Every structure is written in structure tokens, then in C-alpha cells.
Amino acid sequence: MMNFNELSKYVFLGFGFLFPFCFLTTNLLIAKTCLAIFVLLIFTLQLVESYKTKEYSIPKNILIVFLFVLFLSSLFSKNLLISLFEGVDSFFFLFSIFLAFVFSRNILKKKEDILLFIGLLCFSLVIISVIIVSGAVAQKFYGMIEPLSLLIGVTLGISLYCIFSRQRKFEIIIYSIFSFTYFCALLVIGYKIAWFVVSLFAFFIFWKKTKENDFSFAKRKVLFSLICFLIFFILFLTPKFINNSIIFNPSISMGESSLIAFNSIFQDVKSFVLGSGPGTFNYEYARLFIPINVDQGASGLLTILSDIGFLGLVIFVSVFVAFIFNGIKSFLEKNSETEDIVFITTFVLFSILIVFRIEIILMFLLFVFLGIYEAFNKKEKIISFKSLLVAFIVFFIMSSIYFSFLWSEKLFKEASLDDLDKAINKTESASRCFQSTDYYIGLSQLYLIKSADIFDNNWDLSEDVKEQKEENEKNMKAFASQAEATAERATVIDKYNYLAWQNLGLIYENTSYLVNDNTDKAIEAFNKALELSPKNYLVYIAKGRIYEENKKIDEAKEEYIKALEIYPNYQGLKEKIDSLD
């Protein structure tokens, strides 16, 4: 009879090796799809295996309480669909990695399986490091460099630990080659936080070797581990050595992230306890700063505080405080290479959340290593097969909706590469699959372009084709009406989204030239956008433009001045104001 637990192990090991390669592309949909398929497959195999015993063991950990708080936060969110499926800290994503936490505890129990998983992960990052270094020679860089560099930093730390702890020369040589490859890749990338990650690992190695040798610095391993720590810490503090064309993703500062998080939770009691909702960090950002495309803060913990609230952050942090307290005690008292590597890796991955944003692969590995460490403690709770089946049905339903969302995202991205009619068809299909504000905003703009296109073409027709002109005018009005309807629909779906209201104002402004006068509606929509995003200078400019078109010069000038005060570098705006005098 087939052993589904053994099959689960091979799937887990294979995924651990292959998953990092998903980040060699900038298309995050690939990684999201692979993770969802992996968890669903493992869940299916574990469900079949548990059917034999009619029970299943899960770790005794308050992470399940965090998951419950996350679900409550999603229910009371500013946007339910974003909180459940779209956000970087969405309920579905964290539910998926929570399941990975549970499954890793039950599947990777044996020491040899754990070391094989770590070895495969290290080997995959060696290949990725070679790709990065070879790409640097050709001045071509691949994928999501920042999370990959942090992951390379983690595997460099693991390799260093193996060099200092292994006795066989062959293994030391292999891990030395791995370490050199990682080191070259990190030098090429030059991402500071990656050196901080390695220095954390080096510190733990130094601490361990110092204790093993009774704090004698005369011992070679103690001295070398200290040198390693100092080298990596100095690399963290100094500028990068190699100039290249790598451009890191622009991120908001830690100060801005803190201001947003604390401003968010102190709005009301609900926001303090449950936050604004997973995936809604950009709403809070727009309330305080000039809006840009920001979906999370500079720190993962600050994003959790803003989105999930104080209660969620306290529970999440307490999980790792308890882990660190027990882990350090075990780290100092025991002499187990496997436990040490798992403990340090988990500690470092959690530390990354303090100084870096939430990333899929880093969060996945954090929960997997935490699950592996839970297996050492042997604290578990037995649940019935029926309970596991209910959880599977819930996850299966959510997965089906999530795959619908991923398919919609694919269509929406493809639409930007097609001609107008095909783009409209694909965006319509995307909006039917998943009710996303972005799809309706995009669709309204496409309808408006189509309407304007018909209007322009109508001028080219001669008077002897009167019927054709009338038909075109009818189609133009129909598309203009559709533009208004879809823009209005976006504000209904997501009434807290300033972009939806800003887009509605722009649609009304433009359809005023094509169909009916909607300037009053446009001003009303723009005012709503400013309530949600007070520093949105583009909205002030749009209002000024409408007032100017309607010969309300004083009002127009007032709006333009407000925009200039917010963004003094806007090209041509000062000249526009001067021309109105």
C-alpha cells in the first residue's frame, strides 16, 4: 500500500529545491501559483494518509490564534476581497504558510530528512548565485534581487555553520565552495541587509564555538568565527564594492512606516485591536503622504501592526519570543547541529521581518523552519480526521477562488499588451472572474478611450454618410456610459480606495466633453478622493483644470496653488498659475 506520508516528504523536498527559482522572474504570480498548488497537493496527501488512522497531529502553538485574529481582521477590513486574497499579508497567504508550518512538523521529522531539505535549499541557491554572478558579467540581472539576496545570505550562514561544525574534509570542502559562491553573489548584488543576515549567523557561530571552548580565544575555531563575524559586520556597515546596474525596489523609510502604523491603529478601537485589514497598508499611506504604489511598510512587523492591529502583532511576536527563549536555552545546553541550524535560521528569518518587508519565500521558509523546530519539542495536539477534512474543504474552496483571482490577474496583465478591443474583452473577462477594483478602473479607462476613438473618427466622415455618423455617435455614448458605470462600480466595491474616486472624477471630466455635462459629479468624486488622500496633488490639478475650463479662474488658481504647495517640482504648474493672474 502506498505511503502517502513518504510521498509528501518527496514533494516537500522537491518544492524546497525548486521554489527559489520562481523568484528569478519578476512575475510574482508564478510564485503565488506554485505555493498554492504545493500546499493543496500536500494537504491532499496528508488527508489521505490521516484517513488510515482517523486522526492527525498538529503542533500546540498559538499561531492558530493569530490565524483567527487575522480572519477577524479580514472580515472587518476596508476591503474584504483584498484582505482575504490579494494582500501580501492576506488571510489566504498566511493560512497557506500556516499549513506549511503544520505539514513540515509532521513530514520532516527525521534528522536526515531535515538535513536533506536544508541541503537541497542550499544547492538551489548555489545555482541561483551562479546565475546572478554570470548575469553580472553581462550586466544583466534576473528576478527579485532583494529577497533572493537575503535568501543567499541565509544559506551562506548555514554553510558557514556546517564548515565550523563538520569533521569530514569532503563536507568542509563542499560547503566552502558553496560559501564562496554565495559570497561572490552577495558582493555583486551589494544589498546591505543581506550582509546583516550573514553577520547574525556568524555571531551565533562565534557564540557557540566560544562556549564549546570555555571562552578561550586562543582556540582556532573561536578566532576564525570571530574574524568571520567582524568581516560580515563590516561589509554590512560599508558601501558596496562593485558598481552595477542593480536598482533595488524603492521603499518607504522606517520612520514613515512607523508613522503610518501608529496613526492607523489609533484611529478607533477597531483599528487598534484588528487594524485596517490585511492588504490595506496603501490606504493608510495615502492618508498621510503623497500617494504612490506602496502595498506594505519597510518592516514586516509594522505592516502587521497597521493591517492586523495590536492584537495580531502581540500574538505573532509572542510566538517567536517563546521560540527564542526556548531555542537559546537549547542552543546553549545541547550539542545538536541540526537543531542549531534550524534554530538560527528561524531566528534570522524572523529578524528579517523587523528590518525588511514581507516576502513570500522568506515567510514560507520562516514558517517551515518553525514547524521543523516544533517537531523537536514534541508538543502536539491530536485532531480527528473529520476536523482535518473540514479544514481541507475550507482551504479547497478558498484555493478555487484564489486560482480564479490568479487567472484574472493573468488576463489583466495580458490586456495591457493587446490592441484596444482585445484589451477590453480580456479586462471584462477578468472583472467577471474576480471583483477587483483595479479591473473596473482599467475597464472604465478602456471604455473611455474607445469612446474618444469613435469621436475622433467621426470627424473624418463626410456629411453623405449621415447614418454611419449617427451610429458612431450612438456607440460613442454607449461606451461613455459604460465607462461611467464601471468607474462607479469601482467605488462601490472599494469605497476607501482614493484611486477609485480619482478615476471616477477623471471619467466624469472626460465624458463631459463627449456626452453630458458631469463636471459637478467630477468635482464631487475628486473631493471624495481628497478625503482619502489629502496630499494627492494630481487631484487638485484635476479640479483646477475643471474650474479653468468653466471660467472659474479664482477657484482654479486656488486648486493649482494647493497642488504646488504639496509638490513644488511639478513641471509647468507655477507658470500655469502665473498665466492666470
Side-chain angles (χ1 to χ4, degrees):
M1 191 173 181
M2 183 178 289
N3 187 333
F4 287 96
N5 212 41
E6 193 72 11
L7 185 57
S8 299
K9 181 183 76 174
Y10 292 126
V11 172
F12 216 110
L13 293 172
F15 186 74
F17 174 75
L18 294 173
F19 193 41
F21 291 98
C22 295
F23 296 84
L24 284 173
T25 172
T26 54
N27 188 352
L28 200 57
L29 287 180
I30 296 173
K32 288 180 176 180
T33 305
C34 289
L35 179 62
I37 292 172
F38 161 73
V39 176
L40 188 60
L41 177 59
I42 289 287
F43 206 159
T44 305
L45 294 172
Q46 291 290 286
L47 184 71
V48 174
E49 183 66 25
S50 69
Y51 179 73
K52 302 174 188 176
T53 58
K54 303 300 181 184
E55 61 183 27
Y56 194 77
S57 66
I58 61 172
K60 281 187 177 180
N61 194 291
I62 59 172
L63 266 179
I64 195 165
V65 180
F66 171 74
L67 202 65
F68 177 70
V69 172
L70 178 70
F71 180 67
L72 288 180
S73 178
S74 300
L75 289 181
F76 294 98
S77 167
K78 290 182 175 181
N79 188 312
L80 180 62
L81 281 177
I82 284 178
S83 295
L84 286 177
F85 297 103
E86 293 187 52
V88 292
D89 52 354
S90 68
F91 177 76
F92 180 79
F93 168 59
L94 290 176
F95 186 21
S96 298
I97 62 173
F98 171 78
L99 290 171
F101 158 74
V102 173
F103 299 147
S104 63
R105 180 203 173 276
N106 288 332
I107 295 169
L108 302 176
K109 285 185 175 181
K110 297 177 182 178
K111 176 183 174 181
E112 54 268 26
D113 293 337
I114 296 169
L115 291 176
L116 182 56
F117 176 80
I118 293 170
L120 287 170
L121 178 66
C122 289
F123 185 58
S124 69
L125 267 297
V126 166
I127 299 172
I128 289 171
S129 297
V130 171
I131 293 171
I132 290 173
V133 172
S134 60
V137 175
Q139 285 295 302
K140 185 176 182 181
F141 295 93
Y142 301 91
M144 302 173 210
I145 288 293
E146 290 156 304
L148 281 178
S149 67
L150 294 177
L151 197 51
I152 290 169
V154 169
T155 49
L156 173 53
I158 293 171
S159 296
L160 287 173
Y161 190 94
C162 292
I163 291 170
F164 278 94
S165 62
R166 298 288 170 92
Q167 302 299 322
R168 294 166 59 186
K169 285 186 178 180
F170 174 74
E171 292 180 341
I172 294 172
I173 291 170
I174 291 295
Y175 281 106
S176 296
I177 294 171
F178 281 13
S179 298
F180 178 75
T181 309
Y182 300 142
F183 184 80
C184 291
L186 291 183
L187 272 181
V188 165
I189 296 168
Y191 191 51
K192 280 181 169 290
I193 301 178
W195 294 121
F196 170 72
V197 166
V198 187
S199 64
L200 268 181
F201 257 101
F203 174 75
F204 274 102
I205 295 169
F206 167 65
W207 189 4
K208 186 75 172 183
K209 296 306 164 187
T210 304
K211 188 176 183 304
E212 286 177 355
N213 292 278
D214 298 323
F215 299 93
S216 172
F217 284 81
K219 300 290 185 179
R220 187 168 55 184
K221 283 191 176 182
V222 175
L223 184 60
F224 284 170
S225 62
L226 176 60
I227 292 171
C228 280
F229 167 68
L230 292 174
I231 288 172
F232 292 121
F233 193 70
I234 290 169
L235 285 169
F236 164 62
L237 297 175
T238 54
K240 66 180 183 180
F241 293 95
I242 301 174
N243 292 322
N244 51 47
S245 58
I246 294 179
I247 299 174
F248 299 119
N249 288 333
S251 177
I252 62 175
S253 69
M254 198 66 72
E256 288 174 331
S257 302
S258 302
L259 183 62
I260 292 164
F262 287 104
N263 187 275
S264 173
I265 64 170
F266 287 119
Q267 290 181 68
D268 49 47
V269 175
K270 175 261 168 188
S271 297
F272 181 81
V273 178
L274 296 174
S276 60
T280 60
F281 187 88
N282 61 322
Y283 297 2
E284 304 307 311
Y285 181 89
R287 288 175 55 246
L288 298 178
F289 299 102
I290 296 173
I292 57 175
N293 186 21
V294 173
D295 61 352
Q296 57 177 309
S299 162
L301 294 186
L302 289 174
T303 302
I304 291 172
L305 177 61
S306 173
D307 290 2
I308 308 173
F310 185 74
L311 181 59
L313 180 67
V314 168
I315 295 170
F316 186 78
V317 171
S318 64
V319 170
F320 290 96
V321 169
F323 156 77
I324 292 166
F325 179 78
N326 295 324
I328 287 182
K329 186 178 178 183
S330 176
F331 177 75
L332 295 175
E333 292 177 358
K334 294 182 182 179
N335 192 22
S336 170
E337 177 194 290
T338 307
E339 284 193 40
D340 287 349
I341 291 174
V342 173
F343 164 70
I344 300 171
T345 304
T346 310
F347 178 87
V348 168
L349 288 168
F350 176 72
S351 301
I352 290 173
L353 272 182
I354 301 173
V355 296
F356 190 69
R357 62 183 181 268
I358 296 171
E359 285 287 349
I360 289 179
I361 190 164
L362 298 174
M363 283 290 281
F364 169 74
L365 289 174
L366 170 62
F367 276 63
V368 166
F369 276 98
L370 182 63
I372 293 171
Y373 197 81
E374 283 290 315
F376 299 141
N377 297 328
K378 296 182 172 56
K379 293 180 181 178
E380 62 182 24
K381 180 181 179 181
I382 304 299
I383 61 171
S384 66
F385 172 76
K386 288 183 180 179
S387 299
L388 189 66
L389 181 60
V390 169
F392 176 80
I393 292 170
V394 170
F395 185 74
F396 183 81
I397 292 170
M398 292 194 72
S399 296
S400 302
I401 299 171
Y402 188 67
F403 288 133
S404 173
F405 160 65
L406 293 176
W407 176 252
S408 301
E409 282 285 284
K410 179 178 177 294
L411 289 174
F412 188 60
K413 288 181 184 296
E414 288 176 353
S416 63
L417 305 174
D418 282 324
D419 60 52
L420 185 57
D421 290 330
K422 286 182 179 178
I424 288 174
N425 290 335
K426 286 190 176 180
T427 309
E428 285 176 340
S429 298
S431 63
R432 285 193 293 269
C433 287
F434 198 83
Q435 299 284 300
S436 171
T437 312
D438 291 342
Y439 305 160
Y440 283 101
I441 290 174
L443 191 56
S444 66
Q445 293 171 356
L446 290 171
Y447 285 145
L448 181 64
I449 293 170
K450 183 69 175 178
S451 180
D453 192 41
I454 296 171
F455 178 82
D456 291 338
N457 290 334
N458 234 21
W459 285 103
D460 298 332
L461 295 174
S462 57
E463 291 297 328
D464 57 347
V465 283
K466 184 178 179 182
E467 291 184 4
Q468 180 65 46
K469 292 190 77 169
E470 289 176 353
E471 180 67 23
N472 284 354
E473 188 172 340
K474 182 180 177 182
N475 290 335
M476 179 192 70
K477 289 181 178 180
F479 278 111
S481 297
Q482 284 181 292
E484 291 175 0
T486 49
E488 289 165 0
R489 177 62 180 159
T491 62
V492 172
I493 293 172
D494 198 355
K495 64 181 180 180
Y496 295 104
N497 190 336
Y498 75 92
L499 279 174
W501 292 102
Q502 182 179 344
N503 177 71
L504 180 60
L506 291 171
I507 295 295
Y508 280 144
E509 179 188 358
N510 284 277
T511 54
S512 296
Y513 299 110
L514 298 172
V515 193
N516 300 317
D517 184 13
N518 286 317
T519 53
D520 289 341
K521 288 183 177 181
I523 293 293
E524 187 181 336
F526 284 139
N527 287 336
K528 182 63 179 176
L530 288 173
E531 284 179 28
L532 300 169
S533 180
K535 293 190 177 182
N536 193 337
Y537 62 90
L538 293 176
V539 175
Y540 286 113
I541 291 172
K543 285 180 67 180
R545 188 170 58 241
I546 290 175
Y547 286 134
E548 187 180 358
E549 289 288 336
N550 287 274
K551 310 302 181 185
K552 297 179 179 180
I553 304 302
D554 290 340
E555 288 92 334
K557 187 176 178 181
E558 184 181 345
E559 298 299 328
Y560 288 143
I561 289 172
K562 289 177 182 177
L564 191 65
E565 288 173 351
I566 295 169
Y567 191 58
N569 296 325
Y570 192 90
Q571 190 174 5
L573 188 56
K574 191 176 186 305
E575 290 77 6
K576 165 67 77 175
I577 295 169
D578 293 338
S579 69
L580 295 177
D581 289 333

